[in-house]
């Protein structure tokens, strides 16, 4: 069973590689200090309005590229950035991935964000919010909020555990079993 779960996880990662192509690495982005502050303020405002349970006050906002498959995005090919609220700027996880075409194994480095907010650069407005699931504000944030005035982006059990234990590798086996997840990183 353990090998099956590991294989399913590796297949899912390699499928992402197929969808997004060979370059699916997150990249930290830098803008002028004024523009960076404007982007971060938009993200903080969204969190305050729709995700107050995440308590981002003690987290560090870092701007990254937004990895998306344009075929599935309501925003087409517009430039979107992702503001990730992290414990600190060094909080990352690494995953091994295989390119199904070349069979080359690469390492994917991913920011451990408690919550992230996507921002459309051209209009400087929110595009979405996410943790391990997400919501895109379509057709735009203002109209989305008018249609869904009571919308709150809430923590799921996985996010609560991540905040409590700091890293997926540290989750107690009992907690993972309650969620129906097996920790593939822990050797038994």
């Amino acid at each position: 069973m353990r090998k099956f779960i590991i294989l399913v996880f590796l297949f899912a990662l390699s499928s992402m590689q197929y969808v997004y192509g060979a370059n699916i690495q997150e990249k930290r982005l830098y803008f002028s200090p004024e523009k960076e502050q404007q982007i971060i303020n938009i993200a903080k405002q969204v969190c305050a309005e729709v995700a107050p349970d995440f308590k981002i006050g003690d987290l560090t906002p870092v701007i990254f590229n937004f990895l998306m498959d344009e075929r599935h995005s309501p925003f087409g090919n517009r430039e979107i950035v992702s503001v990730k609220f992290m414990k600190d700027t060094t909080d990352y996880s690494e995953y091994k991935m295989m390119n199904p075409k070349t069979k080359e194994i690469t390492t994917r480095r991913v920011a451990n964000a408690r919550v992230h907010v996507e921002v459309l650069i051209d209009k400087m407005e929110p595009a979405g919010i996410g943790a391990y699931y997400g919501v895109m504000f379509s057709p735009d944030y203002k109209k989305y909020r008018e249609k869904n005035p009571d919308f709150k982006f809430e923590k799921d059990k996985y996010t609560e555990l991540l905040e409590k234990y700091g890293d997926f590798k540290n989750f107690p086996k009992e907690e993972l079993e309650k969620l129906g997840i097996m920790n593939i990183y822990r050797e038994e």
Side-chain angles (χ1 to χ4, degrees), residues 148-188:
N148 306 286
D150 298 327
F151 169 73
K152 293 292 180 209
F153 189 76
E154 298 176 352
K155 290 182 186 177
D156 60 358
K157 183 68 175 165
Y158 184 85
T159 304
E160 291 173 359
L161 289 174
L162 189 61
E163 289 178 352
K164 183 175 180 180
Y165 296 107
D167 189 351
F168 181 71
K169 295 175 188 175
N170 300 331
F171 286 11
K173 182 179 177 182
E174 302 78 36
E175 295 284 354
L176 291 169
E177 288 173 353
K178 286 180 193 175
L179 293 174
I181 300 171
M182 180 179 194
N183 189 341
I184 63 171
Y185 297 107
R186 183 180 297 143
E187 290 297 324
E188 297 183 32

Side-chain angles (χ1 to χ4, degrees), residues 65-66 68 75 78-82 118-121 127 136:
N65 61 323
F66 178 62
M68 72 173 174
F75 303 106
R78 294 167 65 190
E79 185 180 2
I80 299 176
V81 296
S82 183
E118 283 64 56
V119 177
L120 290 162
I121 294 298
M136 296 302 278

